[in-house]
Amino acid sequence: LEHTQESVGIVALEESPAETARKLSSLVLNKNSAKEQIPLEELKVGFDKLFGTNRIVMLDHQGAMTDNSILDQLEYMALVGCKYIFIDHITILVSEGVEGLTGNESQDKMMNELLKLVKRHNVYIGLVSHLRKTPNQAKSFEEGKLPSLDSIRGSGSVKQISMDVIGFARDMTAEDIRIRNQIKMSVLKCRHTGLTGPVNGCYYDYETGRLKENSQEFLSIDDMT
């Protein structure tokens, strides 16, 4: 939104549009709505600045959806000019089944439909996916282990159809808050260049609720783990 003139579609299936709007409006103010209660009149300033441009389209799923309705809504977002569509997340997206299919077959069908949408309207879809559980003896993703392509939950269609796959990890159990809020990243797939591997991650700033690119100070935290 800050670096393009394009419209953005948001499909946040784990929260209501009101909650999404509240969080985004607080980010405009560089404040974290999870840290403090922001007065309504102040929050409205962020809301008007963000949504006053009419460049954000959010799906009001009302806690339920069908495969046809969600695909119709995604098509609508593309038709009204959304060049970037973010979906959080694939597990809920296929939870109701797709055309009577369930499980991996449902996910395969949905991924194929998303690919058709991308090609038909030349849009970008950012899709969030959960990870498989790690064996009991292995270090978990919640402890900072970076995932691989095979760590993606469900069928292989997510890794096979996606143009790019980026893995995220942070040690949620670390005692040091600097380590706990550091997010490691790795490019697991890049169809355009074929280049993969660890990249400069981000640091979660709890005061502002924003992600900041890792500085050299935060990069050195890796030496502590």
Side-chain angles (χ1 to χ4, degrees), residues 10-180:
I10 300 175
V11 182
L13 300 175
E14 288 191 314
E15 61 187 23
S16 67
E19 179 65 13
T20 303
R22 185 173 70 89
K23 290 179 179 179
L24 292 177
S25 298
S26 65
L27 286 180
V28 176
L29 305 172
N30 280 316
K31 291 190 174 184
N32 187 352
S33 59
K35 177 179 180 294
E36 58 182 311
Q37 183 173 353
I38 303 173
L40 188 59
E41 60 273 14
E42 185 178 355
L43 195 63
K44 187 177 184 302
V45 174
F47 181 90
D48 290 343
K49 183 176 181 179
L50 188 67
F51 292 93
T53 59
N54 292 320
R55 289 172 53 210
I56 296 180
V57 179
M58 291 194 299
L59 173 65
D60 184 5
H61 52 87
Q62 298 181 347
M65 73 196 102
T66 63
D67 54 313
N68 289 330
S69 69
I70 188 69
L71 289 171
D72 287 345
Q73 295 291 349
L74 292 173
E75 184 101 29
Y76 173 82
M77 287 181 174
L79 288 171
V80 298
C82 293
K83 287 298 182 181
Y84 300 92
I85 301 174
F86 295 92
I87 304 174
D88 184 14
H89 51 82
I90 182 66
T91 303
I92 296 183
L93 192 64
V94 300
S95 62
E96 299 295 328
V98 180
E99 295 183 357
L101 303 175
T102 57
N104 288 347
E105 290 181 340
S106 176
Q107 189 176 95
D108 291 344
K109 178 66 176 178
M110 179 59 72
M111 287 301 298
N112 280 316
E113 292 298 332
L114 293 179
L115 178 60
K116 291 177 185 177
L117 184 69
V118 167
K119 291 183 175 180
R120 189 160 57 245
H121 297 289
N122 190 29
V123 297
Y124 168 91
I125 294 181
L127 180 67
V128 177
S129 175
H130 285 171
L131 302 172
R132 303 178 189 271
K133 291 184 178 180
T134 55
N136 292 333
Q137 296 80 12
K139 184 177 181 180
S140 70
F141 301 117
E142 290 81 6
E143 294 174 309
K145 174 186 176 183
L146 274 168
S148 67
L149 284 175
D150 288 334
S151 304
I152 299 174
R153 183 176 178 180
S155 72
S157 58
V158 175
K159 68 177 182 181
Q160 291 163 0
I161 292 178
S162 298
M163 307 295 178
D164 304 286
V165 181
I166 303 174
F168 300 83
R170 71 183 179 100
D171 188 350
M172 301 170 65
T173 64
E175 293 185 6
D176 191 320
I177 190 173
R178 296 175 302 163
I179 299 175
R180 196 163 61 244

